Amino acid sequence: MHNEIFWLVEILANFLLIILAYRLFGKWGLIMWIPVSVIIANIQVIQTIELFGLAATLGNVVYATSFLVTDILSENYGKKEAKKAVWIGFYSLISMTLLMNLALFFIPLEGDEFAAISHEATSTIFKLMPRIAFASLLAYLLSQRHDVWAFHMWRNRFPGENQLWIRNNLSTMVSQLIDSLVFVLVAFYGVFETAILFEIFLTTYVLKWMVAAADTPFVYWARAIRKKNSYIFK
């Protein structure tokens, strides 16, 4: 249960950091979290672990929190601000990919053993794999754009304050389904057998779904913060 316990701790830590960012910096604290989450997720994803008897990658939790943030932005500030955050995240992901791969063209200082080791480690994490990079960018953009659209579509149908959990969960869970499906198919179709491909997809989606189910109280918490500090959080 070691990994499972720390996985739950990671979920709670991510949610609390988002709320803290919101209390400290208001709307821009939420927008700031989007590039933080997508960059960290793309670094963590190289590490594979076992969770609940299934093979999984790190990064699913922090990436899934980006959907929580766009839902909070949609609820508290409207579609325009949520879309802005999505595009900021997309821009940051492209920028990180390009700049870190540019850094790999430099030759480490000759005779510096640490420089050689760090260069190799950096290459392992950031070296551009075109298919994976394209899959990540495409999945992010399609799923996040859908999340913003779906949240407001469900908000029109379930506008009540006590129905926030409906629009939050319906938009996020479908968006994460799109994200997982697009990424796995684009990145791994033809690389793995169908059964393995399905297991990767199922594991990825189920873990993100669990995060989505757990984030509902924090959406309500963020809305309460907005109401209490409406004169500040504009």
Side-chain angles (χ1 to χ4, degrees):
M1 289 296 291
H2 178 88
N3 282 351
E4 288 76 10
I5 291 172
F6 276 95
W7 187 73
L8 294 173
V9 170
E10 185 185 18
I11 291 175
L12 182 59
N14 274 269
F15 290 162
L16 291 177
L17 284 170
I18 290 170
I19 294 298
L20 180 61
Y22 190 33
R23 290 187 67 91
L24 291 175
F25 308 112
K27 176 181 66 177
W28 285 104
L30 297 175
I31 294 175
M32 173 188 71
W33 185 262
I34 296 292
V36 168
S37 65
V38 297
I39 290 173
I40 291 177
N42 276 271
I43 296 173
Q44 289 185 346
V45 75
I46 66 168
Q47 185 173 344
T48 56
I49 59 173
E50 182 178 319
L51 280 175
F52 307 106
L54 297 171
T57 61
L58 286 180
N60 287 324
V61 171
V62 66
Y63 182 78
T65 61
S66 63
F67 293 93
L68 166 62
V69 170
T70 52
D71 283 356
I72 294 173
L73 286 168
S74 291
E75 177 69 17
N76 290 358
Y77 300 100
K79 184 184 292 186
K80 183 178 179 181
E81 295 301 324
K83 283 184 175 180
K84 182 189 299 181
V86 170
W87 283 112
I88 288 174
F90 187 70
Y91 181 81
S92 67
L93 192 54
I94 291 176
S95 299
M96 180 201 71
T97 302
L98 292 176
L99 292 175
M100 290 309 300
N101 275 271
L102 180 61
L104 297 179
F105 283 100
F106 288 87
I107 299 173
L109 180 64
E110 187 175 351
D112 188 336
E113 185 178 348
F114 178 76
I117 293 173
S118 63
H119 182 82
E120 183 179 352
T122 305
S123 179
T124 300
I125 297 173
F126 294 105
K127 187 175 182 180
L128 177 62
M129 293 177 287
R131 187 170 176 178
I132 302 295
F134 178 71
S136 180
L137 288 167
L138 182 63
Y140 170 82
L141 190 58
L142 291 178
S143 61
Q144 289 284 4
R145 294 279 292 178
H146 173 271
D147 187 58
V148 175
W149 171 83
F151 185 92
H152 288 276
M153 184 269 290
W154 289 117
R155 190 177 188 179
N156 290 334
R157 299 189 181 187
F158 299 100
E161 289 204 356
N162 63 340
Q163 294 175 320
L164 173 57
W165 68 274
I166 299 177
R167 47 189 183 264
N168 171 52
N169 283 287
L170 288 179
S171 63
T172 298
M173 290 178 180
V174 174
S175 298
Q176 290 179 343
L177 178 65
I178 293 171
D179 179 79
S180 301
L181 185 62
V182 170
F183 179 78
V184 171
L185 285 178
V186 175
F188 302 123
Y189 183 77
V191 178
F192 299 113
E193 296 178 359
T194 303
I196 297 176
L197 201 67
F198 180 73
E199 182 178 342
I200 294 172
F201 160 73
L202 187 62
T203 303
T204 301
Y205 179 62
V206 168
L207 292 176
K208 290 178 181 176
W209 186 90
M210 292 171 68
V211 176
D215 74 17
T216 303
F218 294 88
V219 179
Y220 280 91
W221 190 357
R223 188 175 66 181
I225 292 173
R226 162 70 168 159
K227 287 184 176 181
K228 186 177 180 180
N229 301 279
S230 58
Y231 61 96
I232 300 175
F233 292 174
K234 295 181 180 179

